[in-house]
Amino acid sequence: MKHYFLLLAALCFTVGTTVAQSSCSQYYPLVEGTSLQYTNYDKKGKEEGQMDYKVTNVNESGDTVSATMVMEISDQKGNTFSSDYDITCDGNVVRIDFKSLMNEQMLSQMGEMEMDITGTDVELPNNLSVGQELPDSNVNVKMKMGGVMNMNMDVETINRKVEKQESVTTPAGTFDCYVIYSETRTKMMMSNQTMPSRVWLAEGVGMVKQESYNKSGKLMGSSVLTQLSR
């Protein structure tokens, strides 16, 4: 259970940069049918699984564009996890609603568990520049299991900053990227940990690469864009 929610927490603060560009969005092509595939690696570079995303249900109203991202995660053991979440672009900022990550399918997997989810959306401006500081975000999940045990999870993404520009080559191509650094602080039961990460973000594509580190700065895992279809 703990592993499941830590994985969800990590996804919450990285998938915000995995969507893809409409007239509203500079970096994210919110175009119906756009699909992206990422391969996940452990700290030794061994393949761990894949993440697949597809843009669906795109709606435009004035300067606002909304879409649904369908997400599927699979590992080397054949385990799969799927969900969907909502994205909104207002012409200046892209926002992800964290509450929508906890949809009916995910809730059904938790059985009789009751959940109360609060927090703030992750925001990413359309215009990025080196040295720019980005807003913090957070999500809190309160869980009640069978009326017996209560469990809280707090996840904060802090110290978000655009570090530099860098060219990155992956199996999907070569991309000019902004590198965004952040720290994800997770509190759950007796666990309290902070994990730094970096995301390489390309215009018109979204996330090209992501790396997570331990508190000492050593690489713990990574994700790389391996397929892109628009």
Side-chain angles (χ1 to χ4, degrees):
M1 182 67 68
K2 179 180 177 182
H3 171 76
Y4 170 84
F5 281 106
L6 288 178
L7 173 62
L8 175 61
L11 286 170
C12 285
F13 293 98
T14 58
V15 295
T17 55
T18 60
V19 275
Q21 173 178 17
S22 68
S23 58
C24 174
S25 172
Q26 181 73 15
Y27 292 94
Y28 317 111
L30 299 180
V31 177
E32 189 93 24
T34 297
S35 61
L36 306 97
Q37 184 180 84
Y38 298 87
T39 301
N40 303 324
Y41 301 92
D42 66 14
K43 60 183 180 181
K44 295 182 179 180
K46 181 180 178 180
E47 185 174 334
E48 288 190 314
Q50 294 179 333
M51 297 186 296
D52 291 275
Y53 298 86
K54 188 171 184 179
V55 181
T56 65
N57 300 326
V58 177
N59 293 291
E60 296 189 37
S61 178
D63 294 330
T64 300
V65 177
S66 62
T68 300
M69 287 296 297
V70 177
M71 171 182 66
E72 183 172 295
I73 305 167
S74 59
D75 62 22
Q76 294 297 86
K77 297 180 180 180
N79 300 312
T80 61
F81 168 81
S82 60
S83 184
D84 57 72
Y85 57 92
D86 299 328
I87 296 172
T88 303
C89 173
D90 65 9
N92 297 310
V93 175
V94 174
R95 297 180 176 87
I96 292 182
D97 177 10
F98 280 109
K99 294 178 185 178
S100 66
L101 281 166
M102 306 302 289
N103 60 22
E104 291 300 322
Q105 179 184 356
M106 294 175 65
L107 292 175
S108 66
Q109 294 177 7
M110 296 298 99
E112 299 299 321
M113 183 183 298
E114 298 178 12
M115 297 186 188
D116 181 29
I117 306 166
T118 58
T120 58
D121 296 343
V122 164
E123 297 184 358
L124 194 79
N126 275 326
N127 298 314
L128 297 177
S129 60
V130 175
Q132 182 179 5
E133 295 184 356
L134 305 177
D136 293 345
S137 57
N138 68 81
V139 62
N140 173 263
V141 181
K142 295 181 179 179
M143 294 161 277
K144 181 181 293 185
M145 291 176 279
V148 177
M149 178 180 178
N150 293 326
M151 184 166 57
N152 292 336
M153 180 180 71
D154 288 291
V155 182
E156 296 178 282
T157 296
I158 59 176
N159 299 326
R160 300 175 69 209
K161 184 177 181 179
V162 183
E163 285 189 323
K164 58 183 176 179
Q165 288 181 278
E166 187 173 84
S167 179
V168 174
T169 298
T170 78
T174 298
F175 307 93
D176 294 323
C177 301
Y178 281 101
V179 182
I180 300 176
Y181 173 87
S182 65
E183 296 173 358
T184 301
R185 184 164 56 203
T186 305
K187 299 178 182 179
M188 184 175 179
M189 298 182 71
M190 300 302 293
S191 174
N192 188 344
Q193 62 180 349
T194 300
M195 296 184 64
S197 65
R198 286 183 173 87
V199 169
W200 282 254
L201 186 69
E203 183 176 339
V205 176
M207 189 182 83
V208 172
K209 184 173 75 169
Q210 185 266 346
E211 293 183 346
S212 58
Y213 315 93
N214 63 18
K215 61 182 180 181
S216 300
K218 294 183 179 181
L219 181 67
M220 296 300 293
S222 62
S223 299
V224 174
L225 178 66
T226 47
Q227 292 184 29
L228 170 64
S229 176
R230 289 181 283 195

